[in-house]
Amino acid sequence: MAKNLTTREEDYSKWYNELVVKADLAENSGVRGCMVIKPYGYAIWERMQAELDRMFKETGHQNAYFPLFIPKSYFSKEASHVDGFAKECAVVTHYRLKNAEDGSGIIVDPDAKLEEELIVRPTSETIIWDTYRKWIQSYRDLPLLINQWANVVRWEMRTRLFLRTAEFLWQEGHTAHATKDEAIAEAEQMMNVYSDFVENYMAIPVIKGTKTASERFAGALETYCIEALMQDGKALQAGTSHFLGQNFAKAFDVKFTSKEGELDYVWATSWGVSTRLMGALVMTHSDDNGLVLPPNLAPDQVVIVPIYRNDEEFEAVDKVARDLMKELRSKGIRVKYDNRDTQKPGWKFNEYELKGVPVRIAIGPKDVEKGTVELARRDTLQKEFISNENVVEKVVSLMEEIQNNLYKKAISHRSENTTEVSSYEEFKKVLDTKGGFILAHWDGTAETEEKIKNETKATIRCIPLDGNIVAGTCMVTGNPSQRKVLFARAY
Amino acid sequence: MAKNLTTREEDYSKWYNELVVKADLAENSGVRGCMVIKPYGYAIWERMQAELDRMFKETGHQNAYFPLFIPKSYFSKEASHVDGFAKECAVVTHYRLKNAEDGSGIIVDPDAKLEEELIVRPTSETIIWDTYRKWIQSYRDLPLLINQWANVVRWEMRTRLFLRTAEFLWQEGHTAHATKDEAIAEAEQMMNVYSDFVENYMAIPVIKGTKTASERFAGALETYCIEALMQDGKALQAGTSHFLGQNFAKAFDVKFTSKEGELDYVWATSWGVSTRLMGALVMTHSDDNGLVLPPNLAPDQVVIVPIYRNDEEFEAVDKVARDLMKELRSKGIRVKYDNRDTQKPGWKFNEYELKGVPVRIAIGPKDVEKGTVELARRDTLQKEFISNENVVEKVVSLMEEIQNNLYKKAISHRSENTTEVSSYEEFKKVLDTKGGFILAHWDGTAETEEKIKNETKATIRCIPLDGNIVAGTCMVTGNPSQRKVLFARAY
């Protein structure tokens, strides 16, 4: 298969960049650091959005929309938040352009300077909590469970399609609660919603855990996260959910009267996933032939390609193809029938392999004679002939089979690339030879964490919520450690 | 009904502003000119999005996403476009903030000035056509039928919730075609998609037509539009679809090789509707008691309110209510069961009237005894008792009946407020006494159009596509006129 795609072994990073562009997922734009999400990539994102949105609504959340711009002063209200988010950002300073008097083109009108600069939202806690002050007075107004689908901007210097872009799309949940326990339960619930989604729809296994203090969201008391392992042995944070305590309520003066008539600050959470998930999807399942998509998210689950040399053959093949398409659609399968006469079958086979369509069905004149079709799986690249009576049933069962197979392969890959180490030497050796997740004892201090990061570029991905909790001694300092934590080099 | 709502007669404008806020549709934010779309308002917008998105996909369009920022120089490439859109806009000039050295807070870092300013998109033709240059080489790449759901910013000085805000949400379609005829057909098709949606889902009748040259979109050769009439006799442009000729293809050098091997510039359209439609929805149907929503767009089509004085009564009522809710939901009806014990039935009646829920069902102990429920229509405010056996059927038929009734009422209102005039005197008199749509002869010149606008604040809303085409003489100049055109004062 000549895809002209760099192989993963040759250069994993190059393979990723090429694949994202060639499979029509996204490309760089004329605006530094900003991507164009192409229709095929956007169709996958839309499927992700639809499932997540359903899950959010089933857990009682409503969508709303808050302003793109945040006045500069809002960021100063929450002390730790400003350092985390109000630094590398897009700043709107003027509100008008005009024609230059010398005819050289359009220039910024110096008379149209804003009194206060506006920041293009890097995240919306500040503007949302400024609004919640008006919405929350009593326990009757709580919990307030709101989500927003939006674009955000963080001025990144080195960008990569989906993984790190100046502008990206995401959802951000922002909830307000009467009690600390309820807010913590919400933050944990949303971490679980994310892991359900990533495991069952994206077929990516994740480790659930909490971040160390130094890796927390700016302004959070606890950050819950889900961590996935990519094929190259690097980790990717797939979603985070934050327990914000009363920090934002205090910063924006959001109080409520309890049932007992007492006035208290509100408890908060926020949680988000972004188009970064598209990068995780590509890097978990795809191969040297192109994308491999899990059926639950594939815009087209099945593609039918007709094969013929003349009109007579086309007519016969076309009838079988259309009947099959109808039958499959009636079973809820998303089917594309590519009957374009501008492209040859071989070109189409290549194209749909590159685009990761889970099942390809080819129908030629001989198949019509024999009452069969040729069926090819994208995940295993296996082909077989199936009789017309069995093909619908086969395709339906394949959807689940392929979904499960991708998940199992990813689980195996992760198992093979998760190592428990007991010394710092071993830690560094594993990191440099195979990479992957490394479980090791750590003394719980920010100093040791920083030292490891500086020396190895590995960070603590999370303190896992599950798994054996056995005490030991820190691999670096020898000081006591309550449990092993999860390290990796990460995207 | 004490809604504390200003009546339409007292002050239509004030009534609108109050209603939008009190019915929880939207409110002003701390950012000048930017609104917060509240959950209830956003739920209506989501229903609009879902229907429009389905209609776009059924006509062969795909969604994609393009950058929020547009380099300043892009605007200069299409001469008429720059005057229309690159003036009152949000300009990003810097990409970093820092702590002031004197400790006074965070300031814009003067060392982080962008080489070229970025404009927050007021509309995306320029960035999209800059991208299409890479996507289009051959007739095989055409037509390219793309839509984007996005936020855009136009720096408006006087803003009103939904009707005119600095940031708003919209969709913008951008298509590329091999021939002029095909592009014109596309622009007309999308105008028809819009009118179908606005008439059948929003229950708002519209006049389809084309804009005069001076009212066209900046860069368009023809602008198709749909014009609606609000209750106060002012017109509202509900959607536009533009035939852009080869203007943007030429500005961004987008050429294709035809089947015959010839190189030519691509033909373009763009089309959009925005959250402004929310304003049209409110101003067409609502009354002094609050919102009136057409069933096709109402987030809750039916609300069930239980009435009881004690636990025993609640149990009996609750059972009937839950059974009814299940049955209605099985018929595809969106039902809310408000069994909160924190609010009284009277409060709930008021609340759902204010929020425009099409049908309210109240069930009390006496109803349970008699096997009936009380059913109230929001559009007519009529109430009746219905036996339990008939209520589901009744509600199902009411959905269509209410939808049709709202549309008919709006049609009647428009008929009563559309006047054909033959002199400029009559024109001015009608405008000042009853307003509404006015059909009048116009000589086709921009000068006369401008004079009428300056003297009366009325503009030509469109040159209608349908209706009698009878020649005459211009009401202002007496020069020949091919047909009457549609005037109004407008939002």
Side-chain angles (χ1 to χ4, degrees):
Chain A
M1 299 277 104
K3 299 290 187 319
N4 298 319
L5 203 59
T6 299
T7 66
R8 287 164 293 175
E9 211 182 307
E10 282 170 348
D11 188 335
Y12 190 83
S13 175
K14 203 170 163 197
W15 164 82
Y16 173 81
N17 293 339
E18 281 180 16
L19 180 51
V20 168
V21 173
K22 287 191 178 176
D24 279 341
L25 299 183
E27 64 183 34
N28 287 307
S29 75
V31 186
R32 213 193 56 77
C34 293
M35 66 180 158
V36 172
I37 306 180
K38 299 173 79 172
Y40 192 61
Y42 200 83
I44 300 171
W45 175 243
E46 279 181 312
R47 293 209 62 77
M48 291 187 185
Q49 281 190 299
E51 297 300 342
L52 284 166
D53 199 68
R54 179 184 54 72
M55 293 168 107
F56 298 157
K57 283 174 178 158
E58 281 173 7
T59 44
H61 302 86
Q62 294 180 294
N63 289 329
Y65 188 76
F66 297 86
L68 171 67
F69 300 128
I70 303 180
K72 193 185 68 176
S73 58
Y74 282 32
F75 281 96
S76 315
K77 295 191 180 181
E78 213 290 323
S80 55
H81 195 67
V82 63
D83 289 329
F85 284 105
K87 290 298 160 66
E88 306 297 323
C89 57
V91 189
V92 177
T93 56
H94 290 75
Y95 59 86
R96 192 184 300 130
L97 298 175
K98 65 170 192 174
N99 292 314
E101 278 162 27
D102 62 4
S104 60
I106 48 171
I107 57 166
V108 176
D109 184 345
D111 293 337
K113 195 170 187 307
L114 289 170
E115 272 180 47
E116 178 178 6
E117 296 88 350
L118 297 173
I119 313 303
V120 180
R121 63 180 163 220
T123 181
S124 302
E125 276 78 7
T126 55
I127 184 89
I128 287 179
W129 279 88
D130 185 63
T131 309
Y132 281 2
R133 187 177 54 250
K134 290 172 256 171
W135 293 4
I136 298 169
Q137 274 89 40
S138 143
Y139 70 94
R140 284 191 195 83
D141 303 320
L142 298 173
L144 186 58
L145 306 173
I146 289 187
N147 175 62
Q148 164 171 273
W149 290 96
N151 53 345
V152 286
V153 172
R154 298 175 188 179
W155 207 266
E156 304 283 354
M157 280 300 145
R158 270 164 302 178
T159 60
R160 285 187 74 188
L161 292 167
F162 291 124
L163 297 173
R164 194 174 293 277
T165 47
E167 181 193 17
F168 56 93
L169 304 183
W170 79 346
Q171 60 67 218
E172 47 182 322
H174 296 272
T175 69
H177 306 265
T179 68
K180 179 179 176 178
D181 287 352
E182 198 185 295
I184 291 176
E186 164 79 6
E188 287 176 352
Q189 170 185 252
M190 299 322 290
M191 171 191 64
N192 288 323
V193 165
Y194 288 154
S195 72
D196 276 2
F197 170 74
V198 173
E199 297 202 324
N200 297 321
Y201 286 86
M202 301 182 69
I204 302 177
V206 293
I207 307 274
K208 296 189 253 189
T210 55
K211 288 284 181 193
T212 62
S214 54
E215 296 278 340
R216 266 179 215 142
F217 177 81
L221 299 190
E222 187 80 277
T223 287
Y224 298 87
C225 63
I226 54 172
E227 295 286 327
L229 190 65
M230 304 295 101
Q231 289 179 50
D232 63 345
K234 284 173 80 176
L236 187 142
Q237 175 180 295
T240 51
S241 179
H242 316 290
F243 167 58
L244 303 170
Q246 295 174 310
N247 287 348
F248 286 92
K250 285 177 181 166
F252 289 91
D253 196 30
V254 186
K255 290 180 196 163
F256 76 106
T257 311
S258 72
K259 247 182 195 156
E260 294 74 33
E262 280 165 31
L263 206 61
D264 193 10
Y265 288 107
V266 171
W267 298 86
T269 82
S270 69
W271 30 273
V273 296
S274 74
T275 36
R276 199 162 203 240
L277 287 180
M278 292 287 294
L281 189 70
V282 173
M283 289 204 299
T284 301
H285 304 301
S286 299
D287 62 26
D288 295 343
N289 294 315
L291 276 189
V292 176
L293 293 178
N296 286 352
L297 290 180
D300 305 309
Q301 296 174 310
V302 174
V303 61
I304 302 176
V305 178
I307 297 168
Y308 55 91
R309 285 161 305 184
N310 52 49
D311 284 359
E312 198 186 331
E313 285 183 3
F314 176 71
E315 250 173 63
V317 164
D318 185 59
K319 187 182 175 324
V320 176
R322 285 184 190 276
D323 287 350
L324 179 55
M325 176 173 67
K326 264 182 226 161
E327 269 197 89
L328 287 171
R329 285 191 177 158
S330 76
K331 299 284 179 189
I333 307 277
R334 295 185 289 277
V335 186
K336 175 171 186 165
Y337 174 37
D338 186 350
N339 61 352
R340 284 180 293 174
D341 61 1
T342 49
Q343 307 291 357
K344 298 249 186 284
W347 184 94
K348 293 178 187 175
F349 284 17
N350 247 331
E351 176 74 3
Y352 297 111
E353 208 163 277
L354 181 62
K355 289 195 164 169
V357 178
V359 169
R360 181 186 77 219
I361 293 172
I363 308 173
K366 278 200 183 137
D367 297 307
V368 176
E369 253 172 55
K370 288 193 228 157
T372 59
V373 302
E374 191 202 53
L375 189 150
R377 280 173 69 154
R378 177 63 185 88
D379 60 336
T380 57
L381 297 173
Q382 284 165 342
K383 291 186 213 174
E384 60 179 317
F385 288 93
I386 306 271
S387 73
N388 286 346
E389 306 90 79
N390 299 330
V391 64
V392 173
E393 198 187 337
K394 176 72 180 176
V395 168
V396 169
S397 71
L398 265 183
M399 291 300 107
E400 205 180 320
E401 203 177 318
I402 295 173
Q403 184 79 25
N404 292 340
N405 179 49
L406 291 178
Y407 184 70
K408 275 186 213 147
K409 269 172 76 174
I411 283 267
S412 300
H413 175 265
R414 188 181 70 179
S415 302
E416 287 158 18
N417 291 281
T418 300
T419 316
E420 292 206 37
V421 301
S422 42
S423 75
Y424 195 32
E425 280 317 298
E426 199 187 344
F427 178 88
K428 287 190 271 194
K429 197 180 145 197
V430 171
L431 208 53
D432 287 339
T433 51
K434 63 187 286 198
F437 279 147
I438 306 179
L439 284 157
H441 278 294
W442 160 64
D443 64 12
T445 69
E447 293 70 33
T448 307
E449 190 182 4
E450 180 79 6
K451 176 182 158 77
I452 297 169
K453 187 177 175 181
N454 290 339
E455 289 176 1
T456 69
K457 289 183 184 152
T459 50
I460 300 177
R461 303 315 305 152
C462 70
I463 303 162
L465 293 179
D466 303 324
N468 278 332
I469 296 181
V470 179
T473 56
C474 174
M475 63 172 173
V476 176
T477 60
N479 289 335
S481 154
Q482 289 178 309
R483 56 164 305 158
K484 285 184 172 164
V485 299
L486 194 71
F487 287 89
R489 288 183 183 139
Y491 278 97
Chain B
M1 297 278 105
K3 298 292 188 317
N4 298 319
L5 203 62
T6 299
T7 66
R8 288 163 294 176
E9 212 182 308
E10 281 169 349
D11 187 336
Y12 190 83
S13 176
K14 203 171 164 200
W15 164 83
Y16 173 81
N17 293 339
E18 283 181 13
L19 180 51
V20 168
V21 173
K22 290 193 176 176
D24 279 341
L25 300 182
E27 65 183 32
N28 287 308
S29 75
V31 187
R32 213 194 55 79
C34 293
M35 66 181 158
V36 173
I37 306 179
K38 300 173 80 172
Y40 192 63
Y42 201 83
I44 299 171
W45 176 241
E46 278 182 311
R47 293 209 61 79
M48 291 188 184
Q49 281 190 300
E51 296 302 341
L52 284 165
D53 199 68
R54 178 184 56 72
M55 292 168 108
F56 298 157
K57 283 174 177 156
E58 282 173 6
T59 44
H61 302 86
Q62 295 178 292
N63 288 329
Y65 188 76
F66 296 86
L68 170 68
F69 300 128
I70 303 179
K72 194 186 69 178
S73 58
Y74 282 34
F75 281 96
S76 314
K77 294 189 181 183
E78 214 291 321
S80 55
H81 195 65
V82 63
D83 288 329
F85 285 105
K87 291 296 159 67
E88 307 297 322
C89 56
V91 188
V92 177
T93 57
H94 290 74
Y95 60 85
R96 192 184 300 130
L97 299 176
K98 65 171 191 175
N99 291 313
E101 279 160 29
D102 62 4
S104 62
I106 49 172
I107 57 166
V108 176
D109 184 346
D111 293 336
K113 193 171 188 308
L114 289 170
E115 273 181 47
E116 179 177 6
E117 295 88 350
L118 297 172
I119 312 304
V120 179
R121 63 182 163 218
T123 181
S124 301
E125 277 76 9
T126 56
I127 185 88
I128 287 179
W129 279 88
D130 184 64
T131 309
Y132 282 0
R133 187 176 56 249
K134 290 173 257 172
W135 293 4
I136 299 170
Q137 274 88 42
S138 143
Y139 70 94
R140 284 191 196 83
D141 304 319
L142 297 173
L144 186 58
L145 305 173
I146 289 185
N147 175 60
Q148 164 171 275
W149 290 96
N151 52 346
V152 286
V153 173
R154 298 176 187 177
W155 208 266
E156 304 282 355
M157 281 301 144
R158 269 164 302 178
T159 61
R160 285 187 74 189
L161 293 168
F162 291 125
L163 297 173
R164 195 174 293 275
T165 47
E167 181 192 17
F168 56 93
L169 303 184
W170 79 344
Q171 60 68 219
E172 46 181 327
H174 296 273
T175 70
H177 305 265
T179 67
K180 179 178 175 178
D181 287 351
E182 199 185 295
I184 291 175
E186 165 79 7
E188 287 176 353
Q189 172 186 251
M190 298 322 290
M191 171 191 64
N192 288 322
V193 164
Y194 288 153
S195 73
D196 276 3
F197 170 74
V198 173
E199 297 201 327
N200 296 320
Y201 287 86
M202 301 183 67
I204 302 177
V206 294
I207 307 273
K208 296 189 255 189
T210 55
K211 288 284 180 192
T212 61
S214 53
E215 296 279 340
R216 267 180 215 142
F217 176 80
L221 299 190
E222 187 80 275
T223 288
Y224 299 87
C225 63
I226 54 172
E227 295 286 327
L229 190 64
M230 304 295 101
Q231 290 180 49
D232 63 345
K234 282 172 81 175
L236 186 143
Q237 176 180 293
T240 51
S241 179
H242 316 290
F243 167 59
L244 304 171
Q246 296 174 309
N247 288 348
F248 286 92
K250 285 177 181 167
F252 289 90
D253 196 29
V254 186
K255 291 179 194 164
F256 75 105
T257 311
S258 71
K259 244 179 195 157
E260 296 73 33
E262 279 165 32
L263 207 61
D264 193 10
Y265 288 107
V266 170
W267 298 86
T269 82
S270 69
W271 30 274
V273 297
S274 74
T275 35
R276 198 162 205 241
L277 287 180
M278 293 286 296
L281 188 70
V282 173
M283 290 203 298
T284 301
H285 304 301
S286 299
D287 62 26
D288 296 342
N289 294 316
L291 277 188
V292 177
L293 294 178
N296 285 352
L297 290 180
D300 305 308
Q301 296 173 311
V302 174
V303 62
I304 303 176
V305 178
I307 297 168
Y308 55 92
R309 285 161 303 182
N310 52 49
D311 285 359
E312 198 186 332
E313 285 184 4
F314 176 71
E315 250 174 60
V317 164
D318 184 59
K319 190 184 171 326
V320 175
R322 285 184 190 276
D323 287 349
L324 179 56
M325 176 174 66
K326 267 182 222 157
E327 269 197 89
L328 288 170
R329 284 191 179 158
S330 76
K331 299 283 178 190
I333 307 276
R334 296 185 289 277
V335 185
K336 176 171 185 164
Y337 174 36
D338 187 349
N339 60 352
R340 285 180 292 175
D341 60 3
T342 49
Q343 308 290 358
K344 298 246 183 288
W347 184 94
K348 293 177 186 174
F349 285 16
N350 247 332
E351 176 73 4
Y352 296 111
E353 206 164 280
L354 182 62
K355 289 195 163 169
V357 178
V359 170
R360 181 187 75 218
I361 294 173
I363 308 173
K366 277 199 185 140
D367 297 308
V368 176
E369 255 172 53
K370 289 192 229 158
T372 59
V373 302
E374 191 202 54
L375 191 151
R377 280 173 70 154
R378 177 63 185 89
D379 60 337
T380 57
L381 297 174
Q382 284 165 343
K383 291 186 213 175
E384 59 179 318
F385 287 93
I386 306 270
S387 72
N388 286 346
E389 306 89 79
N390 299 331
V391 66
V392 173
E393 199 187 338
K394 177 72 182 178
V395 168
V396 170
S397 72
L398 265 183
M399 292 299 107
E400 206 179 321
E401 203 178 318
I402 295 174
Q403 184 79 26
N404 292 340
N405 180 48
L406 290 179
Y407 184 71
K408 274 186 217 146
K409 268 173 77 175
I411 283 268
S412 300
H413 174 264
R414 188 181 70 182
S415 302
E416 287 158 18
N417 290 282
T418 301
T419 315
E420 292 206 37
V421 302
S422 41
S423 75
Y424 194 32
E425 281 316 298
E426 196 185 347
F427 178 87
K428 287 189 271 194
K429 195 179 149 201
V430 172
L431 208 52
D432 288 338
T433 50
K434 62 187 281 199
F437 280 146
I438 306 179
L439 284 157
H441 279 295
W442 159 65
D443 64 13
T445 68
E447 292 70 35
T448 306
E449 191 182 3
E450 180 78 8
K451 176 183 158 75
I452 297 169
K453 186 177 174 181
N454 290 341
E455 290 176 359
T456 68
K457 290 185 182 151
T459 50
I460 301 176
R461 303 314 305 152
C462 70
I463 303 161
L465 292 178
D466 304 324
N468 279 333
I469 297 180
V470 179
T473 55
C474 174
M475 63 172 172
V476 177
T477 62
N479 290 335
S481 154
Q482 290 178 312
R483 55 162 306 155
K484 285 184 172 161
V485 298
L486 193 72
F487 287 89
R489 287 183 184 140
Y491 279 97

